Amino acid sequence: MANNELSFVHRFEPSTVPNLAPLLLLHGTGGDENDLLGLGRMVAPGAALLSPRGKVLEGGMPRFFRRLAEGVFDEDDVRARVDELADFIAEARAAYGLPAPVALGFSNGANIAAAMLLRRPEALAGAVLLRAMVPFKVPPKADASGRRVLLLSGSADPIVPADNAARLAAQLSEAGAEVTHRVLPVGHGLSQADVNLARQWLGEAGVIAA
Ligand code: MLT
């Protein structure tokens, strides 16, 4: 059941396996806190799952920040929403006794996770970004060193141009993150290859808490 007690409506599933970093699940436009629970269980079996619902509504569809048009973001709102979500992460860590989470975000959820890595990197231990794009025209100066990031893009994605995804990978690397960028022969939607690669990468690199 959704929990309304913290600053975001969210779902939380405790871990069933010790020493795994929790996953912060960030849904796409029109999704909610239930959307990515199944994906989270598939890619990180036994990890705690923290899944907030985006607070911005676009025609009734939840999102994590405002946009002016598809792919054109209200960057003031992106900054404010990153801070608000980082505060929620701190709140949830205290409430549930969690280490810093690894974000698993899709589309708009991947975009806010990318923005968080560039503005509030301390909030995350790392991230799996599924179909993310550049959130800031000029990235803020932040130190994301120590953060591992898996960026999975689609070569036929009509929403995220290939050069945009490559620019995001470069910006994250410049901020110090250790970025693995794979371009899959798919569109904006998720594929089995995303699930397999995310699971493998999290097993190798991402979820074991220090
Ligand atoms: C966004 O607005 O974050 C991107 O255009 C992805 C989307 O939500 O469609």
Side-chain angles (χ1 to χ4, degrees):
M1 240 184 41
N3 179 317
N4 298 310
E5 279 161 24
L6 305 183
S7 58
F8 275 67
V9 174
H10 68 283
R11 299 253 321 235
F12 175 69
E13 289 192 4
S15 62
T16 55
V17 174
N19 298 326
L20 297 182
L23 284 191
L24 175 74
L25 303 174
L26 299 168
H27 63 78
T29 301
D32 67 20
E33 67 279 11
N34 299 303
D35 269 35
L36 297 186
L37 292 171
L39 180 66
R41 286 185 207 113
M42 275 192 275
V43 300
L49 303 177
L50 177 64
S51 187
R53 184 196 304 171
K55 288 187 180 187
V56 172
L57 289 179
E58 182 185 277
M61 295 189 298
R63 290 175 48 84
F64 286 97
F65 57 81
R66 261 170 47 82
R67 65 180 163 184
L68 307 172
E70 190 168 286
V72 185
F73 303 148
D74 175 341
E75 294 196 17
D76 286 338
D77 194 60
V78 178
R79 282 185 276 276
R81 300 291 176 180
V82 163
D83 292 347
E84 183 182 62
L85 186 60
D87 292 346
F88 165 74
I89 294 170
E91 223 185 306
R93 286 183 60 183
Y96 298 122
L98 302 172
V102 173
L104 172 66
F106 168 64
S107 191
N108 180 247
N111 295 341
I112 191 132
M116 189 166 295
L117 286 164
L118 292 167
R119 178 173 167 86
R120 298 284 298 272
E122 73 287 349
L124 297 175
V128 176
L129 306 176
L130 305 168
R131 312 297 182 272
M133 59 195 293
V134 167
F136 299 116
K137 286 199 192 77
V138 179
K141 297 250 174 297
D143 179 6
S145 54
R147 270 79 198 161
R148 286 180 161 165
V149 179
L150 176 64
L151 173 59
L152 297 179
S153 306
S155 59
D157 189 333
I159 296 175
V160 185
D163 66 322
N164 187 300
R167 197 147 36 95
L168 174 60
Q171 287 182 0
L172 290 167
S173 299
E174 274 156 35
E178 199 182 304
V179 182
T180 303
H181 184 198
R182 296 280 303 269
V183 181
L184 310 176
V186 298
H188 197 67
L190 294 181
S191 68
Q192 188 61 44
D194 290 282
V195 177
N196 297 344
L197 288 167
R199 183 179 167 130
Q200 187 190 359
W201 183 87
L202 285 165
E204 285 168 7
V207 297
I208 305 302

